Amino acid sequence: MIYPINELFETIQGEGVYTGVPAIFIRLQGCPVGCPWCDTQHTWDKSADDRIAITDVLAKQQASTQFAEVSPDDILAQIQALGFTAKHVVITGGEPCMYDLRPLAAVLEAAGYRLQIETSGTFEVLTSPQTWVTVSPKVDMPGGYAVRADAMLRANEVKYPVAMHKHIEQLDQLLLDCPVQPGTTICLQPISQRPHATELAMRICRQRNWRLSVQLHKYLAID
């Protein structure tokens, strides 16, 4: 299996249950969902013209559509060569579940890493049983992809972006249509740190004993 890598870097996880944990991010290229507020729109399209070497990906100084095609063994080799010390690996995108992630999970877990996937829930989740799956379900997006019931059922964590009360209503309906496993963590994440969205998310979290995800990395101005 070969994966299109747009970015590979070490940082602090800024969202969800693992907020504050040192993490290695593997950002994959390609996503057809089309979320209007997406802050990684450069990962949407995958053109052969944008294929470059992994060394050039690692040298990028700004966001771009360029990506490298890399095997699981080579990804591990790059992580080790870069001297990253984090043991938590976040596979994101783009939409990582466009790809079968089981070969990559097998290699990284055998080397002692813990995996987390961040997905929109619009593709089947193919990964190891041990992977922490964060589903950030995208409802009624321009791409026209429906959130899958099997993806919601696999979620360890549901992280839902909110800006107004209708988004809470959408999440309520989604949880009725696509139930999650007992014990799944529900996080509300204010879109773009808007004060009204943050207040709404805090209020609903208090009412329902859900969890607030504040995108810590944006407040700290880090990747």
Side-chain angles (χ1 to χ4, degrees):
M1 190 73 186
I2 301 296
Y3 300 96
I5 306 295
N6 180 282
E7 292 181 89
L8 174 62
F9 60 95
E10 187 176 48
T11 185
I12 298 293
Q13 171 63 286
E15 301 181 357
V17 169
Y18 282 101
T19 294
V21 173
I24 299 163
F25 271 69
I26 300 173
R27 189 178 304 284
L28 302 184
Q29 189 75 14
C31 181
V33 179
C35 306
W37 62 83
C38 177
D39 55 6
T40 57
Q41 293 190 18
H42 59 282
T43 65
W44 286 8
D45 299 321
K46 186 162 74 76
S47 168
D49 293 338
D50 286 327
R51 190 184 303 122
I52 59 176
I54 186 62
T55 51
D56 293 328
V57 166
L58 297 174
K60 286 199 294 185
Q61 297 298 311
Q62 59 186 12
S64 78
T65 57
Q66 294 177 313
F67 64 94
E69 293 188 330
V70 190
S71 72
D73 288 332
D74 285 340
I75 291 171
L76 175 60
Q78 290 295 333
I79 289 172
Q80 293 173 334
L82 289 164
F84 294 156
T85 57
K87 291 298 182 181
H88 186 76
V89 176
V90 181
I91 305 173
T92 185
E95 173 45 70
C97 288
M98 291 173 60
Y99 309 98
D100 184 346
L101 299 171
R102 291 173 293 189
L104 179 56
V107 167
L108 293 179
E109 287 176 349
Y113 294 92
R114 176 183 62 229
L115 265 66
Q116 176 184 2
I117 292 173
E118 296 188 348
T119 175
S120 64
T122 56
F123 288 81
E124 184 179 6
V125 180
L126 299 175
T127 189
S128 70
Q130 296 80 26
T131 299
W132 180 272
V133 176
T134 301
V135 176
S136 183
K138 303 303 190 293
V139 178
D140 295 332
M141 291 296 110
Y145 285 78
V147 176
R148 295 173 60 108
D150 56 356
M152 292 291 286
L153 199 61
R154 176 60 182 84
N156 300 101
E157 166 188 16
V158 173
K159 185 178 64 181
Y160 200 75
V162 296
M164 56 193 74
H165 200 273
K166 75 171 186 178
H167 296 138
I168 305 298
E169 295 171 350
Q170 288 174 343
L171 176 57
D172 286 340
Q173 187 61 53
L174 178 63
L175 292 172
L176 284 175
D177 295 339
C178 302
V180 297
Q181 293 280 2
T184 300
T185 302
I186 308 295
C187 297
L188 297 183
Q189 184 163 289
I191 295 175
S192 301
Q193 299 83 51
R194 297 172 186 169
H196 172 74
T198 301
E199 188 281 328
L200 171 64
M202 291 174 60
R203 175 162 49 84
I204 298 299
C205 285
R206 289 195 301 267
Q207 290 174 358
R208 304 190 184 188
N209 199 30
W210 287 352
R211 185 162 177 162
L212 182 70
S213 176
V214 295
Q215 293 189 294
L216 177 66
H217 56 292
K218 292 189 177 180
Y219 288 96
L220 297 177
I222 60 175
D223 288 333

